[in-house]
Amino acid sequence: MTDRKTLANAIRVLAMDAVQQANSGHPGAPMGMADIAEVLFNDFLVHNPKNPDWINRDRFVMSNGHGSMLPYAALHLSGYDVSMDDLKQFRQLHSKTPGHPEYGYTPGIETTTGPLGQGIANAVGMALAEKSLAAIYNKSGHEIVDHHSYVFLGDGCLMEGISHEVCSLAGTLQLGKLIAIYDDNNISIDGEVDGWFTDDTAKRFEAYGWQVIAGVDGHDANAIKSAIEQAKGNTTQPTLICAKTIIGSGAPNKAGSHDCHGAPLGADEIQATREALGWSHPAFEVPQAVYSAWDATESGADSEHQWQAKFAAYQAAYPELAAEFERRMAGDLPSDWHKKADAFIAQVVSDAPEMASRKASKLALEGLGPQLPELFGGSADLTPSNNTFWSGSKSINEAVVNDAAYDGNYLSYGVREFGMSAIMNGMALHGGFIPYGATFLMFSEYARNALRMAALMKIRSIFVYTHDSIGVGEDGPTHQPVEQTPTLRLIPNMHLWRPCDAVESAVAWRQAIEKTDGPSCLLFTRQGVKHQARSEQQVADIAKGAYVLADCEGDAELIIIATGSEVGIAMEATQALQAQGKNVRLVSMPSAERFEEQSAEYKASVLPPQCDKRLAVEAAQGDFWYKYVGLNGRIIAQNTFGESAPGNVLFKHFGFTTENVLAQANDLLA
């Protein structure tokens, strides 16, 4: 029987060999955490290498994602579809083994990590999803949702502010199936961390309400095993295992030094490491006995088979719940979704409500939410302002206070915009939920990297942002977004919607829910907006991102393009110009990204190339609009910070008025 140290050494040598061949990478963390990974994968992790998407698998997240060769090596050894050739292609173009773990590239990788702290945040979302689904679907004698979320994290993750946001909340939420193992090696890129990181991590996490298992020897398999067993035994607290390790463990000259953190060991040190470990095999060669000891295919298939038997019994006892659970975990919408969504939007068109679009957003939740038990909402301490709590919302926070079941669908995240967004991503990755979370648009800045990660992973997270312009008013420029709207549009795979009224708001919500290949940002006003009358075809065309809201007879000599609350003043100006006998077309463009996905023919029908006199109106930094108006067009935009005053005063002060639109249009037509 192969001893445990040899099994762990397989990770060490594969990590150092792959980094050496790529001539870049981070061998230190994989070598330092190899013993921990060996115990976790071989003694605890419930997974099936032949079905990485098995619903009830344990989730494993490498939050210190620079140590990506650790999960790649462990997945390869366990029997996943990660070949030795894949390891040899570490960090190469289009390989399954990119420099940092990427969701969708490598079987068994649960989330994209690299920006430190977000992996632990995603894992909090996964653990929350597991706990919530268990509360909803598990019945006495039928525990179909029952798995753990394991996280590796390092000093860097704990230094990042997001770790405070999410770990504090995880303790409050009593996520007992979340187990984090801290690679306490005292090293970061700049060297020994004593000069910049002297927190008492154990006391910090105890203060959060976590179980802390301190002083664990990260190179002692028995100590690691005992700690994980203790962690699993506590079902009411998340657990932090503080594992003292040596970075680059096994390398005789570079272990314990930042020299092995982010650079290849070099040929001489690799040879010395092989000798020190007693590993006589050449690069990228692993003995069959090691593979046999690591192989999890048979045990994984058996675990899934046992679960399938449990689920079959559950289906027999609770057929409707079982069908809903399977649908939710598959990410499918209800079979009657489209019919009921159509009916709701038709009702909004008929009612023609006039209200702030943030209130129209709540109206959309009231209309669409009852069809979607998977919709999980929240706000970063702005629920009354964001209007995200609708009549079907049930607070998980109340369950915390009252020690009740976590079968709710709403979470007040506290003032944690970044943490909220990354937790939402974890819930989306886990499956079973369509998460939405809200704050003011200005504070999307705090969450920006989580939005980018959602887009990079192409997952369905819905980011709701209210108070979308200087219309915020008296709170002043600290709360008035200027550059946020155009910069959010720059994120690949992200759809941004800035609707002008209740009808566009309902369509925007529907489109965000139906978009399965990336996140959406929904931007809503604080101030009231006017209802815009539309034909049936115009309502249908909203979903295309841009459409002709008001047209003229004959070819247009001027096209006005507007979004959000500015559509109202643009419509008034358009009608005045048309009354003067001028051929002016108004285009509402709630989502430029969605518009760009349309056919060339449709785009030309909305913005005919022959009409080069164009005017864009949006209360945000305006350079984005040159794409549509050309260098000779005009843009009425917010290119400076705002001021503190009532919103209507600011709109007049900064030129967002019917009169200014008319003046600029007439100047273009002169």
Side-chain angles (χ1 to χ4, degrees):
M1 183 176 180
T2 306
D3 67 278
R4 307 204 73 146
K5 189 60 71 174
T6 299
L7 300 182
N9 286 345
I11 290 182
R12 292 187 169 95
V13 295
L14 288 173
M16 70 182 185
D17 287 344
V19 171
Q20 184 70 19
Q21 177 146 314
N23 198 31
S24 73
H26 300 75
M31 296 176 73
M33 299 194 78
D35 299 294
I36 303 170
E38 187 277 320
V39 172
L40 177 63
F41 270 75
N42 292 324
D43 287 11
F44 293 100
L45 199 68
V46 179
H47 61 129
N48 184 1
K50 298 306 179 187
N51 184 12
D53 297 326
W54 169 37
I55 291 173
N56 201 48
R57 69 191 181 277
D58 287 339
R59 272 62 171 178
F60 169 66
V61 173
M62 187 81 183
S63 188
N64 44 342
H66 53 270
S68 57
M69 267 309 303
L70 183 150
Y72 297 156
L75 293 170
H76 166 75
L77 292 166
S78 298
Y80 284 78
D81 185 17
V82 181
S83 68
M84 188 64 82
D85 284 340
D86 292 326
L87 300 187
K88 291 177 181 178
Q89 290 297 306
F90 179 54
R91 291 188 160 225
Q92 304 309 301
L93 183 64
H94 301 317
S95 77
K96 284 185 182 178
T97 51
H100 290 79
E102 292 188 39
Y103 174 72
Y105 272 65
T106 316
I109 293 297
E110 300 284 359
T111 181
T112 300
T113 56
L116 295 175
Q118 286 202 65
I120 178 63
N122 295 163
V124 171
M126 293 172 187
L128 175 58
E130 190 275 343
K131 186 165 186 173
S132 298
L133 288 170
I136 295 167
Y137 290 103
N138 286 355
K139 302 298 179 182
S140 179
H142 296 278
E143 293 191 346
I144 60 166
V145 182
D146 181 17
H147 53 266
H148 288 78
S149 297
Y150 295 97
V151 194
F152 286 0
L153 70 164
D155 294 300
C157 290
L158 293 179
M159 285 185 247
E160 288 286 0
I162 189 174
S163 71
H164 165 76
E165 294 184 27
V166 302
C167 293
S168 168
L169 186 57
T172 297
L173 295 177
Q174 302 171 7
L175 300 180
K177 290 185 179 177
L178 174 63
I179 299 173
I181 304 178
Y182 166 35
D183 180 26
D184 183 10
N185 61 29
N186 205 51
I187 295 290
S188 65
I189 291 177
D190 279 1
E192 295 186 6
V193 301
D194 294 338
W196 52 88
F197 184 56
T198 57
D199 300 10
D200 190 325
T201 300
K203 288 183 179 178
R204 170 186 163 188
F205 275 76
E206 287 171 356
Y208 293 155
W210 287 53
Q211 171 182 226
V212 177
I213 305 172
V216 176
D217 183 347
H219 303 296
D220 182 333
N222 290 329
I224 298 162
K225 184 175 181 179
S226 176
I228 297 176
E229 286 173 343
Q230 183 180 342
K232 290 187 68 176
N234 187 335
T235 60
T236 61
Q237 291 178 292
T239 297
L240 179 72
I241 298 172
C242 299
K244 197 66 182 175
T245 64
I246 299 171
I247 191 171
S249 175
N253 300 303
K254 294 188 176 182
S257 165
H258 69 280
D259 291 340
C260 66
H261 172 90
L265 296 183
D268 291 343
E269 185 70 358
I270 285 177
Q271 181 56 38
T273 302
R274 275 185 155 75
E275 293 173 2
L277 296 177
W279 189 273
S280 59
H281 314 286
F284 298 108
E285 183 177 308
V286 176
Q288 186 56 48
V290 172
Y291 277 123
S292 297
W294 267 93
D295 186 13
T297 55
E298 184 176 340
S299 61
D302 183 60
S303 294
E304 182 174 356
H305 178 73
Q306 291 180 36
W307 180 83
Q308 287 172 338
K310 284 184 178 181
F311 191 73
Y314 182 79
Q315 283 178 308
Y318 305 97
E320 292 182 0
L321 281 177
E324 183 182 85
F325 176 74
E326 286 189 301
R327 177 190 66 76
R328 286 178 59 168
M329 292 305 294
D332 297 331
L333 295 174
S335 59
D336 59 353
W337 161 258
H338 294 287
K339 179 181 178 181
K340 290 186 175 179
D342 286 343
F344 168 67
I345 291 172
Q347 186 62 51
V348 177
V349 172
S350 174
D351 292 344
E354 295 200 351
M355 58 182 67
S357 61
R358 63 170 170 157
K359 293 183 178 179
S361 170
K362 184 175 182 179
L363 180 67
L365 286 169
E366 294 285 358
L368 300 175
Q371 321 309 323
L372 298 169
E374 59 264 48
L375 203 59
F376 188 101
S379 173
D381 204 46
L382 289 168
T383 294
S385 295
N386 296 148
N387 285 304
T388 40
F389 194 93
W390 57 286
S391 61
S393 294
K394 182 178 180 181
S395 172
I396 282 182
N397 307 90
E398 293 298 321
V400 174
V401 173
N402 298 319
D403 193 25
Y406 282 48
D407 58 349
N409 62 359
Y410 194 89
L411 180 63
S412 291
Y413 288 88
V415 187
R416 299 180 174 101
E417 297 88 355
F418 192 4
M420 172 183 72
S421 304
I423 288 171
M424 287 166 53
N425 290 346
M427 297 188 77
L429 288 161
H430 178 279
F433 291 100
I434 300 175
Y436 70 90
T439 183
F440 290 168
L441 177 56
M442 186 64 246
F443 304 126
S444 67
E445 292 295 331
Y446 284 130
R448 180 62 64 105
N449 200 253
L451 272 64
R452 185 176 189 272
M453 296 296 280
L456 183 62
M457 292 187 281
K458 300 180 181 178
I459 57 176
R460 181 166 44 183
S461 292
I462 301 174
F463 303 103
V464 179
Y465 297 122
T466 66
H467 297 60
D468 70 346
S469 72
I470 55 172
V472 170
E474 294 88 343
D475 278 337
T478 61
H479 284 54
Q480 294 166 4
V482 174
E483 72 277 21
Q484 285 65 39
T485 298
T487 56
L488 288 171
R489 288 188 177 118
L490 295 175
I491 303 175
N493 302 328
M494 177 74 76
H495 278 188
L496 181 142
W497 290 85
R498 189 168 185 255
C500 74
D501 66 0
V503 177
E504 285 192 0
S505 297
V507 174
W509 261 109
R510 178 180 184 172
Q511 289 297 304
I513 289 165
E514 293 180 0
K515 180 176 168 58
T516 59
D517 60 352
S520 300
C521 289
L522 306 181
L523 276 54
F524 299 113
T525 67
R526 177 195 184 198
Q527 71 275 18
V529 291
K530 294 182 179 179
H531 171 75
Q532 301 298 326
R534 299 172 181 84
S535 68
E536 185 176 340
Q537 185 59 54
Q538 286 174 314
V539 173
D541 286 343
I542 295 171
K544 297 176 181 176
Y547 62 103
V548 179
L549 183 58
D551 211 356
C552 53
E553 294 185 8
D555 294 335
E557 54 184 328
L558 171 68
I559 299 174
I560 300 175
I561 310 169
T563 78
S565 53
E566 293 74 74
V567 170
I569 61 172
M571 175 61 83
E572 292 175 354
T574 298
Q575 291 171 338
L577 290 163
Q578 290 175 343
Q580 296 170 12
K582 295 174 180 175
N583 284 358
V584 179
R585 166 180 287 189
L586 172 61
V587 170
S588 177
M589 189 179 286
S591 177
E593 301 76 42
R594 183 69 176 142
F595 180 61
E596 287 300 324
E597 294 176 350
Q598 306 309 310
S599 68
E601 291 76 16
Y602 179 77
K603 288 190 282 187
S605 74
V606 176
L607 298 174
Q610 61 269 26
C611 181
D612 60 357
K613 291 183 178 180
R614 300 181 181 184
L615 171 64
V617 188
E618 184 175 63
Q621 207 284 336
D623 288 354
F624 166 83
W625 290 105
Y626 285 113
K627 176 177 183 177
Y628 294 109
V629 305
L631 296 178
N632 295 321
R634 296 282 180 89
I635 303 167
I636 299 175
Q638 184 68 33
N639 292 328
T640 67
F641 293 118
E643 299 284 350
S644 180
N648 60 334
V649 173
L650 293 175
F651 265 72
K652 183 177 181 180
H653 175 73
F654 287 107
F656 295 100
T657 63
T658 301
E659 293 75 18
N660 189 37
V661 175
L662 275 170
Q664 296 294 330
N666 280 316
D667 195 39
L668 273 170
L669 290 168

